[in-house]
Short mmCIF file of all heavy atoms in Angstrom, two decimals:
data_model
loop_
_atom_site.label_atom_id
_atom_site.label_comp_id
_atom_site.label_asym_id
_atom_site.label_seq_id
_atom_site.Cartn_x
_atom_site.Cartn_y
_atom_site.Cartn_z
N MET A 1 149.73 35.82 -88.62
CA MET A 1 148.73 36.34 -87.80
C MET A 1 149.29 36.26 -86.35
O MET A 1 150.05 35.27 -86.02
CB MET A 1 147.55 35.47 -87.91
CG MET A 1 146.38 36.01 -87.13
SD MET A 1 144.89 35.25 -87.74
CE MET A 1 143.97 35.25 -86.26
N GLN A 2 149.03 37.29 -85.57
CA GLN A 2 149.55 37.29 -84.21
C GLN A 2 148.62 38.01 -83.27
O GLN A 2 147.76 38.85 -83.64
CB GLN A 2 150.87 38.05 -84.17
CG GLN A 2 150.87 39.41 -84.68
CD GLN A 2 152.28 40.00 -84.74
OE1 GLN A 2 153.24 39.37 -84.37
NE2 GLN A 2 152.39 41.14 -85.41
N SER A 3 148.80 37.65 -81.99
CA SER A 3 147.99 38.32 -80.97
C SER A 3 148.99 39.02 -79.97
O SER A 3 149.94 38.42 -79.61
CB SER A 3 147.17 37.35 -80.11
OG SER A 3 146.22 36.73 -80.89
N LEU A 4 148.73 40.27 -79.64
CA LEU A 4 149.59 41.04 -78.92
C LEU A 4 148.94 41.59 -77.66
O LEU A 4 147.75 41.92 -77.69
CB LEU A 4 150.10 42.24 -79.74
CG LEU A 4 150.87 41.95 -81.00
CD1 LEU A 4 151.13 43.25 -81.77
CD2 LEU A 4 152.18 41.17 -80.67
N ILE A 5 149.67 41.84 -76.62
CA ILE A 5 149.24 42.59 -75.42
C ILE A 5 150.14 43.82 -75.39
O ILE A 5 151.29 43.77 -75.42
CB ILE A 5 149.50 41.73 -74.14
CG1 ILE A 5 148.56 40.58 -74.09
CG2 ILE A 5 149.22 42.61 -72.86
CD1 ILE A 5 148.78 39.62 -72.86
N ARG A 6 149.40 44.99 -75.21
CA ARG A 6 150.12 46.23 -75.14
C ARG A 6 149.84 46.94 -73.87
O ARG A 6 148.69 47.07 -73.42
CB ARG A 6 149.73 47.11 -76.32
CG ARG A 6 150.18 46.64 -77.60
CD ARG A 6 150.12 47.78 -78.71
NE ARG A 6 150.84 47.28 -79.83
CZ ARG A 6 150.16 47.07 -81.05
NH1 ARG A 6 148.83 47.30 -81.12
NH2 ARG A 6 150.81 46.67 -82.03
N LYS A 7 150.86 47.31 -73.12
CA LYS A 7 150.73 48.12 -71.85
C LYS A 7 151.08 49.52 -72.21
O LYS A 7 152.20 49.93 -72.62
CB LYS A 7 151.70 47.55 -70.86
CG LYS A 7 151.44 46.09 -70.41
CD LYS A 7 152.38 45.63 -69.37
CE LYS A 7 152.05 44.22 -69.00
NZ LYS A 7 153.05 43.70 -68.03
N ILE A 8 150.09 50.34 -72.04
CA ILE A 8 150.15 51.77 -72.49
C ILE A 8 151.06 52.55 -71.59
O ILE A 8 151.84 53.36 -72.08
CB ILE A 8 148.73 52.43 -72.58
CG1 ILE A 8 147.93 51.77 -73.68
CG2 ILE A 8 148.88 53.91 -72.91
CD1 ILE A 8 146.48 52.19 -73.72
N ASP A 9 150.98 52.24 -70.34
CA ASP A 9 151.76 53.06 -69.33
C ASP A 9 153.26 52.83 -69.46
O ASP A 9 154.04 53.76 -69.23
CB ASP A 9 151.33 52.83 -67.94
CG ASP A 9 151.29 51.35 -67.48
OD1 ASP A 9 151.51 50.49 -68.51
OD2 ASP A 9 151.27 51.04 -66.35
N THR A 10 153.75 51.58 -69.89
CA THR A 10 155.12 51.42 -70.00
C THR A 10 155.60 51.22 -71.47
O THR A 10 156.77 50.98 -71.64
CB THR A 10 155.49 50.03 -69.29
OG1 THR A 10 154.83 48.99 -69.84
CG2 THR A 10 155.18 50.16 -67.78
N SER A 11 154.70 51.41 -72.48
CA SER A 11 154.99 51.32 -73.81
C SER A 11 155.61 49.92 -74.21
O SER A 11 156.53 49.80 -74.91
CB SER A 11 155.83 52.40 -74.28
OG SER A 11 155.24 53.63 -74.13
N GLN A 12 155.05 48.85 -73.63
CA GLN A 12 155.63 47.55 -73.78
C GLN A 12 154.63 46.70 -74.64
O GLN A 12 153.48 46.80 -74.31
CB GLN A 12 155.91 46.91 -72.50
CG GLN A 12 156.50 45.50 -72.60
CD GLN A 12 156.68 44.90 -71.21
OE1 GLN A 12 156.28 45.35 -70.26
NE2 GLN A 12 157.37 43.80 -71.22
N THR A 13 155.11 45.98 -75.62
CA THR A 13 154.28 45.09 -76.43
C THR A 13 154.85 43.64 -76.32
O THR A 13 156.01 43.55 -76.43
CB THR A 13 154.26 45.55 -77.88
OG1 THR A 13 153.85 46.90 -78.02
CG2 THR A 13 153.43 44.67 -78.84
N GLN A 14 153.89 42.73 -76.14
CA GLN A 14 154.35 41.33 -75.93
C GLN A 14 153.52 40.41 -76.71
O GLN A 14 152.25 40.57 -76.74
CB GLN A 14 154.25 40.92 -74.46
CG GLN A 14 154.71 39.50 -74.21
CD GLN A 14 154.62 39.17 -72.71
OE1 GLN A 14 154.20 40.02 -71.88
NE2 GLN A 14 154.93 37.97 -72.28
N ALA A 15 154.11 39.55 -77.54
CA ALA A 15 153.28 38.63 -78.30
C ALA A 15 152.79 37.50 -77.37
O ALA A 15 153.48 36.92 -76.54
CB ALA A 15 154.16 37.98 -79.41
N THR A 16 151.47 37.15 -77.53
CA THR A 16 150.91 36.05 -76.74
C THR A 16 150.56 34.80 -77.59
O THR A 16 150.51 33.73 -77.01
CB THR A 16 149.56 36.56 -76.05
OG1 THR A 16 148.65 36.97 -77.13
CG2 THR A 16 149.85 37.71 -75.15
N ALA A 17 150.26 34.94 -78.87
CA ALA A 17 150.07 33.82 -79.74
C ALA A 17 150.32 34.29 -81.17
O ALA A 17 150.28 35.46 -81.49
CB ALA A 17 148.64 33.37 -79.55
N GLY A 18 150.39 33.36 -82.02
CA GLY A 18 150.49 33.65 -83.45
C GLY A 18 151.40 32.74 -84.13
O GLY A 18 152.03 31.83 -83.63
N ASN A 19 151.50 32.95 -85.54
CA ASN A 19 152.23 32.07 -86.34
C ASN A 19 152.72 32.87 -87.55
O ASN A 19 151.99 33.75 -88.06
CB ASN A 19 151.22 30.92 -86.84
CG ASN A 19 151.96 29.90 -87.60
OD1 ASN A 19 153.13 29.70 -87.44
ND2 ASN A 19 151.14 29.16 -88.40
N ILE A 20 153.95 32.56 -88.04
CA ILE A 20 154.43 33.10 -89.23
C ILE A 20 154.51 32.04 -90.26
O ILE A 20 155.03 30.96 -90.08
CB ILE A 20 155.96 33.70 -89.07
CG1 ILE A 20 155.92 34.83 -88.04
CG2 ILE A 20 156.44 34.11 -90.33
CD1 ILE A 20 157.32 35.20 -87.61
N ALA A 21 153.70 32.21 -91.34
CA ALA A 21 153.54 31.17 -92.35
C ALA A 21 154.24 31.67 -93.69
O ALA A 21 154.05 32.80 -94.12
CB ALA A 21 152.09 30.98 -92.58
N LYS A 22 155.08 30.75 -94.22
CA LYS A 22 155.81 31.05 -95.50
C LYS A 22 155.47 29.94 -96.52
O LYS A 22 155.39 28.77 -96.07
CB LYS A 22 157.31 31.17 -95.26
CG LYS A 22 157.73 32.20 -94.24
CD LYS A 22 159.19 32.07 -93.93
CE LYS A 22 159.51 33.00 -92.77
NZ LYS A 22 160.94 32.70 -92.34
N THR A 23 155.27 30.29 -97.71
CA THR A 23 154.94 29.33 -98.72
C THR A 23 155.75 29.61 -100.04
O THR A 23 155.89 30.80 -100.43
CB THR A 23 153.44 29.36 -99.08
OG1 THR A 23 152.66 29.11 -97.90
CG2 THR A 23 153.15 28.27 -100.12
N VAL A 24 156.32 28.54 -100.54
CA VAL A 24 157.01 28.62 -101.83
C VAL A 24 156.38 27.64 -102.78
O VAL A 24 156.27 26.39 -102.52
CB VAL A 24 158.48 28.28 -101.65
CG1 VAL A 24 159.20 28.24 -103.04
CG2 VAL A 24 159.19 29.25 -100.76
N MET A 25 155.90 28.09 -103.92
CA MET A 25 155.30 27.25 -104.88
C MET A 25 155.95 27.48 -106.17
O MET A 25 156.11 28.60 -106.69
CB MET A 25 153.79 27.50 -105.03
CG MET A 25 153.07 27.22 -103.73
SD MET A 25 151.32 27.57 -103.84
CE MET A 25 150.72 26.22 -104.75
N PHE A 26 156.32 26.40 -106.93
CA PHE A 26 157.01 26.48 -108.25
C PHE A 26 156.56 25.29 -109.12
O PHE A 26 156.50 24.14 -108.59
CB PHE A 26 158.41 26.47 -108.00
CG PHE A 26 159.36 26.46 -109.23
CD1 PHE A 26 159.44 27.53 -109.95
CD2 PHE A 26 159.92 25.22 -109.62
CE1 PHE A 26 160.23 27.57 -111.13
CE2 PHE A 26 160.70 25.21 -110.76
CZ PHE A 26 160.81 26.30 -111.55
N SER A 27 156.42 25.51 -110.34
CA SER A 27 156.24 24.51 -111.35
C SER A 27 156.74 24.93 -112.71
O SER A 27 156.75 26.13 -113.00
CB SER A 27 154.72 24.07 -111.44
OG SER A 27 153.96 25.12 -112.00
N ALA A 28 157.29 23.94 -113.44
CA ALA A 28 157.83 24.23 -114.71
C ALA A 28 157.40 23.12 -115.69
O ALA A 28 157.44 21.94 -115.32
CB ALA A 28 159.33 24.38 -114.68
N ASP A 29 156.94 23.51 -116.97
CA ASP A 29 156.62 22.49 -117.96
C ASP A 29 157.69 22.55 -119.03
O ASP A 29 158.14 23.65 -119.44
CB ASP A 29 155.27 22.88 -118.55
CG ASP A 29 154.08 22.59 -117.61
OD1 ASP A 29 154.30 21.99 -116.58
OD2 ASP A 29 152.95 23.08 -117.89
N TYR A 30 158.01 21.46 -119.54
CA TYR A 30 158.93 21.33 -120.70
C TYR A 30 158.40 20.38 -121.65
O TYR A 30 158.07 19.24 -121.40
CB TYR A 30 160.29 20.80 -120.23
CG TYR A 30 161.30 20.66 -121.25
CD1 TYR A 30 161.88 21.86 -121.81
CD2 TYR A 30 161.75 19.45 -121.74
CE1 TYR A 30 162.90 21.83 -122.76
CE2 TYR A 30 162.71 19.37 -122.69
CZ TYR A 30 163.22 20.60 -123.28
OH TYR A 30 164.23 20.56 -124.22
N GLY A 31 158.24 20.85 -122.89
CA GLY A 31 157.67 19.98 -123.98
C GLY A 31 158.73 19.16 -124.62
O GLY A 31 159.70 19.70 -125.23
N LEU A 32 158.65 17.89 -124.36
CA LEU A 32 159.57 16.95 -124.93
C LEU A 32 159.30 16.74 -126.52
O LEU A 32 160.23 16.56 -127.29
CB LEU A 32 159.63 15.66 -124.23
CG LEU A 32 159.98 15.70 -122.72
CD1 LEU A 32 159.74 14.46 -122.02
CD2 LEU A 32 161.43 16.19 -122.60
N SER A 33 158.04 16.68 -126.82
CA SER A 33 157.58 16.53 -128.20
C SER A 33 156.17 17.17 -128.28
O SER A 33 155.75 17.78 -127.31
CB SER A 33 157.64 15.09 -128.66
OG SER A 33 156.49 14.39 -127.96
N ARG A 34 155.54 17.04 -129.46
CA ARG A 34 154.26 17.69 -129.65
C ARG A 34 153.25 16.94 -128.75
O ARG A 34 152.23 17.62 -128.37
CB ARG A 34 153.82 17.43 -131.05
CG ARG A 34 152.71 18.42 -131.50
CD ARG A 34 152.49 18.39 -132.93
NE ARG A 34 152.11 17.05 -133.33
CZ ARG A 34 151.88 16.72 -134.57
NH1 ARG A 34 151.91 17.61 -135.58
NH2 ARG A 34 151.49 15.46 -134.85
N THR A 35 153.42 15.75 -128.39
CA THR A 35 152.44 15.05 -127.54
C THR A 35 152.92 14.66 -126.14
O THR A 35 152.10 14.15 -125.36
CB THR A 35 152.02 13.70 -128.22
OG1 THR A 35 153.17 12.86 -128.44
CG2 THR A 35 151.35 13.99 -129.60
N LEU A 36 154.21 14.93 -125.84
CA LEU A 36 154.77 14.53 -124.49
C LEU A 36 155.25 15.78 -123.82
O LEU A 36 156.07 16.59 -124.39
CB LEU A 36 155.91 13.58 -124.74
CG LEU A 36 156.29 12.71 -123.61
CD1 LEU A 36 155.14 11.93 -123.01
CD2 LEU A 36 157.48 11.73 -124.07
N THR A 37 154.82 16.01 -122.54
CA THR A 37 155.10 17.10 -121.74
C THR A 37 155.64 16.62 -120.31
O THR A 37 155.00 15.81 -119.69
CB THR A 37 153.96 18.07 -121.43
OG1 THR A 37 153.44 18.51 -122.78
CG2 THR A 37 154.36 19.27 -120.75
N LEU A 38 156.81 17.13 -119.93
CA LEU A 38 157.32 16.91 -118.53
C LEU A 38 157.08 18.05 -117.66
O LEU A 38 157.30 19.22 -118.07
CB LEU A 38 158.80 16.67 -118.72
CG LEU A 38 159.61 16.32 -117.47
CD1 LEU A 38 159.26 14.84 -116.87
CD2 LEU A 38 161.14 16.43 -117.69
N ARG A 39 156.58 17.83 -116.38
CA ARG A 39 156.39 18.89 -115.41
C ARG A 39 157.08 18.56 -114.21
O ARG A 39 156.99 17.42 -113.64
CB ARG A 39 154.83 18.98 -115.20
CG ARG A 39 154.52 19.91 -114.03
CD ARG A 39 153.14 20.10 -113.82
NE ARG A 39 152.71 21.24 -114.64
CZ ARG A 39 151.50 21.80 -114.63
NH1 ARG A 39 150.61 21.35 -113.71
NH2 ARG A 39 151.31 22.84 -115.36
N ALA A 40 157.74 19.54 -113.61
CA ALA A 40 158.36 19.45 -112.29
C ALA A 40 157.76 20.42 -111.35
O ALA A 40 157.37 21.62 -111.78
CB ALA A 40 159.95 19.75 -112.35
N PHE A 41 157.50 20.08 -110.06
CA PHE A 41 156.70 21.00 -109.18
C PHE A 41 157.28 20.91 -107.80
O PHE A 41 157.96 19.90 -107.37
CB PHE A 41 155.19 20.67 -109.20
CG PHE A 41 154.94 19.32 -108.68
CD1 PHE A 41 154.61 19.14 -107.34
CD2 PHE A 41 154.88 18.21 -109.52
CE1 PHE A 41 154.32 17.83 -106.83
CE2 PHE A 41 154.52 16.97 -109.03
CZ PHE A 41 154.28 16.81 -107.70
N LEU A 42 157.16 22.01 -107.02
CA LEU A 42 157.59 22.12 -105.63
C LEU A 42 156.46 22.96 -104.87
O LEU A 42 156.12 24.04 -105.38
CB LEU A 42 158.96 22.74 -105.54
CG LEU A 42 159.35 23.17 -104.15
CD1 LEU A 42 159.66 21.87 -103.31
CD2 LEU A 42 160.55 24.11 -104.23
N ASP A 43 156.10 22.48 -103.72
CA ASP A 43 155.06 23.19 -102.88
C ASP A 43 155.74 23.05 -101.39
O ASP A 43 155.74 21.98 -100.83
CB ASP A 43 153.75 22.64 -102.95
CG ASP A 43 152.81 23.41 -102.06
OD1 ASP A 43 153.16 24.46 -101.51
OD2 ASP A 43 151.65 22.89 -101.83
N TRP A 44 156.27 24.13 -100.95
CA TRP A 44 156.97 24.11 -99.58
C TRP A 44 156.22 25.05 -98.65
O TRP A 44 156.23 26.29 -98.96
CB TRP A 44 158.40 24.43 -99.79
CG TRP A 44 159.25 24.26 -98.57
CD1 TRP A 44 159.04 23.49 -97.51
CD2 TRP A 44 160.56 24.85 -98.49
NE1 TRP A 44 160.20 23.57 -96.66
CE2 TRP A 44 161.13 24.36 -97.26
CE3 TRP A 44 161.33 25.74 -99.27
CZ2 TRP A 44 162.38 24.80 -96.76
CZ3 TRP A 44 162.58 26.12 -98.79
CH2 TRP A 44 163.11 25.62 -97.61
N GLN A 45 155.82 24.58 -97.51
CA GLN A 45 155.15 25.42 -96.54
C GLN A 45 155.97 25.31 -95.18
O GLN A 45 156.24 24.26 -94.67
CB GLN A 45 153.71 24.96 -96.27
CG GLN A 45 152.86 25.04 -97.53
CD GLN A 45 151.50 24.48 -97.28
OE1 GLN A 45 151.16 23.89 -96.32
NE2 GLN A 45 150.62 24.63 -98.32
N ILE A 46 156.19 26.47 -94.56
CA ILE A 46 156.93 26.58 -93.38
C ILE A 46 156.02 27.42 -92.34
O ILE A 46 155.55 28.49 -92.65
CB ILE A 46 158.32 27.33 -93.56
CG1 ILE A 46 159.13 26.59 -94.54
CG2 ILE A 46 159.02 27.50 -92.26
CD1 ILE A 46 160.31 27.43 -95.01
N ASN A 47 155.84 26.88 -91.16
CA ASN A 47 155.16 27.52 -90.11
C ASN A 47 156.04 27.67 -88.88
O ASN A 47 156.56 26.70 -88.38
CB ASN A 47 153.87 26.74 -89.72
CG ASN A 47 152.87 26.71 -90.78
OD1 ASN A 47 152.49 27.75 -91.40
ND2 ASN A 47 152.42 25.51 -91.19
N GLU A 48 156.23 28.90 -88.44
CA GLU A 48 157.01 29.21 -87.29
C GLU A 48 156.10 29.93 -86.20
O GLU A 48 155.64 30.99 -86.46
CB GLU A 48 158.16 30.07 -87.61
CG GLU A 48 159.11 29.52 -88.70
CD GLU A 48 160.14 30.47 -89.12
OE1 GLU A 48 160.11 31.67 -88.77
OE2 GLU A 48 161.04 30.10 -89.95
N PRO A 49 155.98 29.30 -85.03
CA PRO A 49 155.17 29.96 -83.98
C PRO A 49 155.92 31.15 -83.40
O PRO A 49 157.16 31.14 -83.29
CB PRO A 49 155.01 28.84 -82.95
CG PRO A 49 156.14 27.92 -83.14
CD PRO A 49 156.45 28.04 -84.61
N LEU A 50 155.18 32.17 -82.99
CA LEU A 50 155.76 33.32 -82.30
C LEU A 50 156.21 32.99 -80.89
O LEU A 50 157.33 33.48 -80.42
CB LEU A 50 154.82 34.49 -82.38
CG LEU A 50 154.58 35.17 -83.73
CD1 LEU A 50 153.55 36.26 -83.56
CD2 LEU A 50 155.81 35.77 -84.31
N ILE A 51 155.35 32.18 -80.26
CA ILE A 51 155.73 31.79 -78.85
C ILE A 51 156.34 30.38 -79.02
O ILE A 51 155.55 29.36 -79.14
CB ILE A 51 154.55 31.85 -77.97
CG1 ILE A 51 153.85 33.21 -77.99
CG2 ILE A 51 154.81 31.54 -76.52
CD1 ILE A 51 154.71 34.36 -77.55
N SER A 52 157.63 30.15 -78.83
CA SER A 52 158.22 28.88 -79.02
C SER A 52 158.00 27.85 -77.94
O SER A 52 158.29 26.67 -78.12
CB SER A 52 159.70 29.05 -79.32
OG SER A 52 160.33 29.56 -78.06
N SER A 53 157.45 28.25 -76.76
CA SER A 53 157.27 27.29 -75.70
C SER A 53 156.07 26.41 -75.94
O SER A 53 155.97 25.34 -75.31
CB SER A 53 157.09 28.03 -74.32
OG SER A 53 156.06 28.82 -74.38
N SER A 54 155.18 26.78 -76.82
CA SER A 54 153.91 26.02 -76.96
C SER A 54 153.91 25.11 -78.23
O SER A 54 153.18 24.18 -78.24
CB SER A 54 152.68 26.95 -77.09
OG SER A 54 152.91 27.78 -78.25
N ALA A 55 154.81 25.45 -79.16
CA ALA A 55 154.84 24.61 -80.39
C ALA A 55 156.19 24.67 -81.02
O ALA A 55 157.00 25.54 -80.73
CB ALA A 55 153.78 25.03 -81.42
N PHE A 56 156.47 23.72 -81.93
CA PHE A 56 157.72 23.69 -82.68
C PHE A 56 157.51 24.14 -84.16
O PHE A 56 156.38 24.01 -84.68
CB PHE A 56 158.26 22.33 -82.68
CG PHE A 56 158.70 21.85 -81.33
CD1 PHE A 56 157.81 20.94 -80.63
CD2 PHE A 56 159.84 22.19 -80.77
CE1 PHE A 56 158.18 20.50 -79.33
CE2 PHE A 56 160.17 21.81 -79.46
CZ PHE A 56 159.38 20.95 -78.81
N PRO A 57 158.54 24.64 -84.84
CA PRO A 57 158.39 25.04 -86.19
C PRO A 57 158.16 23.78 -87.01
O PRO A 57 158.74 22.68 -86.75
CB PRO A 57 159.76 25.67 -86.46
CG PRO A 57 160.37 26.00 -85.27
CD PRO A 57 159.84 25.13 -84.27
N THR A 58 157.31 23.89 -88.04
CA THR A 58 156.97 22.71 -88.90
C THR A 58 157.26 23.17 -90.34
O THR A 58 157.20 24.28 -90.71
CB THR A 58 155.54 22.22 -88.77
OG1 THR A 58 154.73 23.26 -89.08
CG2 THR A 58 155.35 21.72 -87.31
N SER A 59 157.62 22.12 -91.16
CA SER A 59 157.85 22.34 -92.59
C SER A 59 157.26 21.17 -93.37
O SER A 59 157.45 20.00 -92.93
CB SER A 59 159.30 22.41 -92.90
OG SER A 59 159.53 22.53 -94.11
N ASN A 60 156.60 21.50 -94.37
CA ASN A 60 155.90 20.43 -95.23
C ASN A 60 156.32 20.68 -96.68
O ASN A 60 156.30 21.85 -97.17
CB ASN A 60 154.37 20.49 -95.15
CG ASN A 60 153.85 20.09 -93.80
OD1 ASN A 60 154.43 19.25 -93.14
ND2 ASN A 60 152.76 20.72 -93.31
N ALA A 61 156.74 19.62 -97.42
CA ALA A 61 157.19 19.84 -98.74
C ALA A 61 156.56 18.74 -99.65
O ALA A 61 156.59 17.61 -99.37
CB ALA A 61 158.70 19.75 -98.89
N ASN A 62 155.98 19.17 -100.71
CA ASN A 62 155.50 18.23 -101.83
C ASN A 62 156.30 18.61 -103.04
O ASN A 62 156.28 19.78 -103.46
CB ASN A 62 154.00 18.50 -102.03
CG ASN A 62 153.22 18.06 -100.81
OD1 ASN A 62 153.47 17.06 -100.21
ND2 ASN A 62 152.19 18.90 -100.57
N TYR A 63 156.83 17.54 -103.70
CA TYR A 63 157.66 17.83 -104.86
C TYR A 63 157.57 16.54 -105.78
O TYR A 63 157.27 15.45 -105.26
CB TYR A 63 159.05 18.23 -104.58
CG TYR A 63 159.78 17.24 -103.63
CD1 TYR A 63 160.46 16.18 -104.21
CD2 TYR A 63 159.78 17.37 -102.27
CE1 TYR A 63 161.07 15.26 -103.30
CE2 TYR A 63 160.37 16.53 -101.46
CZ TYR A 63 161.09 15.45 -102.04
OH TYR A 63 161.70 14.53 -101.18
N GLY A 64 157.86 16.79 -107.06
CA GLY A 64 157.88 15.69 -107.94
C GLY A 64 157.86 16.02 -109.35
O GLY A 64 157.98 17.23 -109.71
N ILE A 65 157.79 15.00 -110.25
CA ILE A 65 157.71 15.23 -111.66
C ILE A 65 156.48 14.43 -112.18
O ILE A 65 156.09 13.45 -111.60
CB ILE A 65 159.03 14.77 -112.37
CG1 ILE A 65 159.23 13.33 -112.08
CG2 ILE A 65 160.14 15.63 -111.91
CD1 ILE A 65 160.48 12.81 -112.91
N SER A 66 155.99 14.88 -113.32
CA SER A 66 154.93 14.11 -113.98
C SER A 66 155.18 14.20 -115.46
O SER A 66 155.80 15.06 -116.02
CB SER A 66 153.53 14.69 -113.65
OG SER A 66 153.41 15.91 -114.18
N LEU A 67 154.67 13.22 -116.21
CA LEU A 67 154.87 13.00 -117.63
C LEU A 67 153.45 12.91 -118.19
O LEU A 67 152.67 12.02 -117.77
CB LEU A 67 155.63 11.78 -117.90
CG LEU A 67 156.20 11.59 -119.35
CD1 LEU A 67 157.11 12.73 -119.71
CD2 LEU A 67 156.95 10.25 -119.40
N ARG A 68 153.15 13.83 -119.16
CA ARG A 68 151.80 13.90 -119.72
C ARG A 68 151.89 13.51 -121.21
O ARG A 68 152.64 14.17 -121.97
CB ARG A 68 151.16 15.23 -119.50
CG ARG A 68 149.84 15.35 -120.12
CD ARG A 68 149.23 16.72 -119.95
NE ARG A 68 149.13 17.03 -118.54
CZ ARG A 68 148.99 18.30 -118.12
NH1 ARG A 68 148.98 19.35 -118.91
NH2 ARG A 68 148.86 18.47 -116.80
N PHE A 69 151.09 12.58 -121.57
CA PHE A 69 151.02 12.12 -123.03
C PHE A 69 149.58 12.50 -123.55
O PHE A 69 148.58 12.11 -122.97
CB PHE A 69 151.23 10.61 -123.09
CG PHE A 69 151.11 10.13 -124.48
CD1 PHE A 69 152.18 10.38 -125.35
CD2 PHE A 69 150.12 9.40 -124.92
CE1 PHE A 69 152.19 10.00 -126.66
CE2 PHE A 69 150.03 8.93 -126.29
CZ PHE A 69 151.11 9.20 -127.10
N SER A 70 149.55 13.23 -124.57
CA SER A 70 148.33 13.72 -125.15
C SER A 70 148.02 13.03 -126.50
O SER A 70 148.82 12.92 -127.30
CB SER A 70 148.43 15.23 -125.42
OG SER A 70 147.19 15.71 -126.01
N LEU A 71 146.83 12.52 -126.58
CA LEU A 71 146.43 11.80 -127.88
C LEU A 71 145.82 12.74 -128.86
O LEU A 71 145.75 12.34 -130.03
CB LEU A 71 145.41 10.73 -127.46
CG LEU A 71 145.88 9.56 -126.57
CD1 LEU A 71 144.80 8.71 -126.18
CD2 LEU A 71 147.03 8.76 -127.17
N THR A 72 145.53 13.96 -128.55
CA THR A 72 144.93 14.87 -129.53
C THR A 72 146.02 15.57 -130.25
O THR A 72 147.18 15.68 -129.87
CB THR A 72 144.12 15.91 -128.76
OG1 THR A 72 144.91 16.66 -127.95
CG2 THR A 72 142.93 15.32 -128.01
N GLN A 73 145.60 16.04 -131.47
CA GLN A 73 146.66 16.74 -132.28
C GLN A 73 146.44 18.22 -132.44
O GLN A 73 145.34 18.77 -132.55
CB GLN A 73 146.73 16.15 -133.65
CG GLN A 73 147.30 14.75 -133.57
CD GLN A 73 147.42 14.14 -134.96
OE1 GLN A 73 147.31 14.81 -135.97
NE2 GLN A 73 147.85 12.84 -135.01
#
């Protein structure tokens, strides 16, 4: 999302505020046995401001593995 100022007489466009947001999400399941499942996941978010004098780029990452044991057949 961005905010722009446009000057019609000089055909000039200037960004005044805004952000570029990127997201990567990934997960994979692997069945180790009939009752045991391994899952790996990644959630990565990157925010880059259009006007760099007011804020810094930020990045957040959540990742990990989980092991699920099912008692049902």
Side-chain angles (χ1 to χ4, degrees):
M1 189 162 146
Q2 60 186 350
S3 298
L4 302 173
I5 293 177
R6 292 198 171 112
K7 295 181 181 177
I8 296 173
D9 56 346
T10 61
S11 299
Q12 182 182 9
T13 302
Q14 181 180 0
T16 58
N19 189 25
I20 298 172
K22 301 172 188 172
T23 302
V24 175
M25 297 176 80
F26 173 78
S27 69
D29 290 348
Y30 182 71
L32 298 172
S33 69
R34 197 172 63 180
T35 59
L36 199 57
T37 305
L38 179 70
R39 170 178 273 190
F41 64 91
L42 169 70
D43 180 13
W44 188 20
Q45 299 175 354
I46 302 168
N47 293 309
E48 299 173 355
L50 290 177
I51 308 298
S52 62
S53 64
S54 62
F56 295 102
T58 59
S59 174
N60 297 321
N62 295 317
Y63 53 89
I65 59 171
S66 66
L67 193 59
R68 181 181 298 162
F69 181 72
S70 176
L71 296 175
T72 61
Q73 291 186 9

